[in-house]
């Protein structure tokens, strides 16, 4: 084994929660390095369904250390809720299984208000954010007015910094016709929750390096997906962090030469939630998924947009992230189809292209070039080995991997832990 980065190869919701849960079994430490509680990782253990937002999915495996790295933005109230929910399900959190970086930035309620009203103001150009305050919190970090978790533990400094920040935030809130923040109330609320999580907060760079020095193996669990990456995604219809493989390094303090392998998670089809171009979006796939009760967001409950497998984008994702192996999830979602479409190129202004344009306006004009293949019309949810899959399903998976340019490692045929095929 080795240190693995898991990334989403599409627009998020690739079924990473399940893949992380599987990979966690093989490692010692699980690290989140970007994003915030905009993420929703669903893991089904026995009869129980867990939706993890900030806490690494590794928390559900006994004896694993989970780390929330410096690159994550943290709403401490939401974090405490998640800790309490887990405790109610018998998963006890303490400094033995969860450590949080003192350099991670805080998300405040005014970030959420600004996120929501700012996006609404964009009208037809709205991004369709999760309204969790993620963009505004990262905005503060980049503008160097953010407040970090370590400062929450120093009440005097925290009060001073928060007072200045609230004063500026209130100018914006008033412009949005929103109630200004009451400084004292917010201060008390955050200091109180700060005390609750104090034992978990530390310099996690040292934690991770100590673990590596002791020969422990690490999984970096990505949140969101490649095309939501702030730099490489369909800007501005992206999230505000680096969701591609490099984000694992900057967001945790682990140097690139300690990463051994990159695993890309992808669905056997494609989904996207929120606005922005999505070339292979197709009503046939959406109707099928939604009729089965699938593809509703884990965090916001929104119906996801659905479409065919798009090899133009996954091939680009393979290159960007250096994906060695693929975990293809939700294969069973396609079981009933007689014919499937596979996007092998785009047509832009009548010209065939095999690389997605970086400009959203051009991407929005791209028309997919499909080849059609026969479906398998056989239930795959009971299959437990690659051999047991119907021939056309095997052929489809081979096609996905050949076109994407990575080896097949794992196939998901249902939500439960058992419905995982190792290749
Ligand atoms: P934000 O991250 O809330 O700012 O939202 C920006 C865009 O990223 C929106 O299109 C969201 O729907 C999308 N997004 C953010 N987090 C996730 C996720 O975990 N899965 C899928 N889409 C996401
Ligand atoms: Mg999700």
């Amino acid at each position: 084994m080795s240190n693995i980065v898991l990334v989403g190869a599409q627009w998020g919701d690739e079924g990473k929660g399940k893949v992380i849960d599987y990979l966690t079994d093989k490692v010692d430490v699980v690290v989140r390095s970007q994003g915030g509680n905009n993420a929703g990782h669903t893991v089904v253990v026995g009869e129980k369904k867990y939706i993890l937002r900030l806490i690494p999915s590794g928390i559900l495996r006994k004896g694993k250390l989970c780390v929330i790295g410096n690159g994550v933005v943290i709403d401490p109230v939401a974090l405490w809720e998640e800790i309490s929910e887990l405790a109610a399900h018998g998963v006890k959190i303490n400094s033995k299984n969860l450590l949080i970086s003192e350099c991670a930035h805080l998300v405040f309620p005014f970030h959420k208000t600004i996120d929501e009203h700012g996006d609404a103001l964009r009208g037809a150009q709205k991004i369709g954010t999760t309204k969790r305050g993620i963009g505004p919190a990262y905005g503060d970090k980049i503008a160097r007015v953010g407040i970090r978790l370590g400062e929450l533990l120093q009440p005097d400094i925290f009060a001073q910094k928060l007072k200045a920040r609230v004063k500026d935030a209130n100018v914006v809130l008033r412009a949005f016709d929103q109630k200004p923040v009451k400084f004292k109330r917010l201060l008390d609320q955050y200091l109180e929750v700060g005390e609750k999580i104090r034992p978990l907060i530390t310099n996690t760079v040292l934690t991770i390096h100590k673990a590596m020095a002791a020969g422990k193996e690490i999984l970096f669990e990505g949140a969101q997906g490649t095309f939501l990456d702030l730099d490489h995604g369909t800007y501005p219809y992206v999230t505000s962090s680096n969701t591609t493989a490099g984000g694992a390094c900057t967001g945790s303090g682990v140097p690139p030469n300690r990463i051994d392998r990159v695993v890309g998670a992808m669905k056997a089809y494609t989904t996207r939630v929120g606005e922005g171009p999505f070339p292979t979006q197709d009503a046939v796939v959406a109707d099928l998924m939604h009729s089965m009760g699938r593809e509703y967001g884990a965090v916001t409950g929104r119906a996801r947009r659905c479409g065919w497998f798009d090899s133009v984008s996954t091939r680009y994702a393979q290159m960007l992230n250096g994906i060695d192996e693929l975990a293809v999830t939700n294969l069973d979602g396609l079981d009933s189809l007689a014919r499937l479409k596979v996007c092998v190129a785009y047509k832009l202004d009548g010209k065939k292209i095999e690389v997605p344009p970086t400009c959203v306006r051009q991407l929005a004009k791209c028309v997919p070039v499909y080849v059609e293949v026969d479906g398998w019309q056989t239930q795959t949810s009971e299959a437990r080995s690659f051999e047991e899959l119907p021939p056309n399903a095997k052929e489809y998976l081979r096609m996905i991997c050949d076109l994407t340019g990575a080896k097949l490692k794992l196939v998901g045929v249902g939500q439960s832990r058992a419905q995982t095929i190792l290749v």
Side-chain angles (χ1 to χ4, degrees), residues 29 42 69 103 106 117 143 160 188 191 203 241 245 252 299 346 403:
V29 184
T42 309
C103 296
L106 285 163
H117 292 272
Q160 203 183 323
D188 291 345
L191 287 178
N203 180 346
S241 63
S252 69
V299 168
Y346 296 156
L403 287 166

Side-chain angles (χ1 to χ4, degrees), residues 180-348:
V181 176
K182 291 209 168 69
F183 164 68
K184 186 67 173 67
R185 195 192 284 173
L186 182 61
L187 176 68
D188 291 345
Q189 184 193 20
Y190 269 56
L191 287 178
E192 189 189 327
V193 72
E195 280 316 307
K196 290 183 187 160
I197 57 175
R198 180 184 283 275
L200 310 178
I201 301 172
T202 186
N203 180 346
T204 51
V205 172
L206 298 179
T207 310
I208 298 171
H209 279 265
K210 233 183 254 168
M212 289 195 299
K216 306 254 193 251
E217 292 172 322
I218 301 176
L219 170 67
F220 297 88
E221 72 160 71
Q224 290 89 38
T226 296
F227 296 100
L228 290 174
D229 185 278
L230 181 58
D231 286 86
H232 301 291
T234 52
Y235 191 89
Y237 302 98
V238 293
T239 192
S240 297
S241 63
N242 285 115
T243 60
T244 45
C249 294
T250 50
S252 69
V254 169
N257 60 358
R258 301 307 302 269
I259 306 289
D260 301 292
R261 220 148 45 98
V262 180
V263 177
M266 56 172 287
K267 276 187 179 130
Y269 45 95
T270 314
T271 64
R272 169 163 207 172
V273 56
E275 305 302 317
F278 176 4
T280 62
Q281 184 171 3
D282 192 290
V284 171
V285 188
D287 291 347
L288 173 66
M289 297 306 158
H290 296 148
S291 73
M292 292 190 283
R294 300 166 80 123
E295 303 307 344
Y296 291 92
V299 168
T300 58
R302 291 183 288 179
R304 296 183 185 131
R305 299 155 67 195
C306 302
W308 300 108
F309 164 63
D310 176 357
S311 70
V312 177
S313 62
T314 59
R315 196 160 49 238
Y316 197 69
Q318 188 283 328
M319 181 182 78
L320 261 176
N321 296 293
I323 295 172
D324 301 295
E325 294 169 320
L326 283 174
V328 180
T329 68
N330 290 269
L331 181 71
D332 56 309
L334 300 172
D335 284 352
S336 64
L337 290 169
R339 300 278 287 169
L340 284 86
K341 291 185 183 176
V342 172
C343 170
V344 292
Y346 296 156
K347 265 206 164 149
L348 176 61

Side-chain angles (χ1 to χ4, degrees), residues 147-167:
I147 306 179
R148 310 208 288 191
L149 222 53
E151 290 166 326
L152 181 61
L153 305 183
Q154 306 169 60
D156 291 348
I157 305 245
F158 181 68
Q160 203 183 323
K161 291 198 78 170
L162 184 64
K163 191 162 206 173
R165 189 62 197 90
V166 161
K167 195 171 154 223

Side-chain angles (χ1 to χ4, degrees), residues 11-13 38-40 127-131 134-135 224 228 238-239 273-275 302:
W11 277 277
D13 302 313
N38 49 349
I127 293 166
T129 73
T130 62
K131 303 188 177 83
I134 305 300
Q224 290 89 38
L228 290 174
V238 293
T239 192
V273 56
E275 305 302 317
R302 291 183 288 179

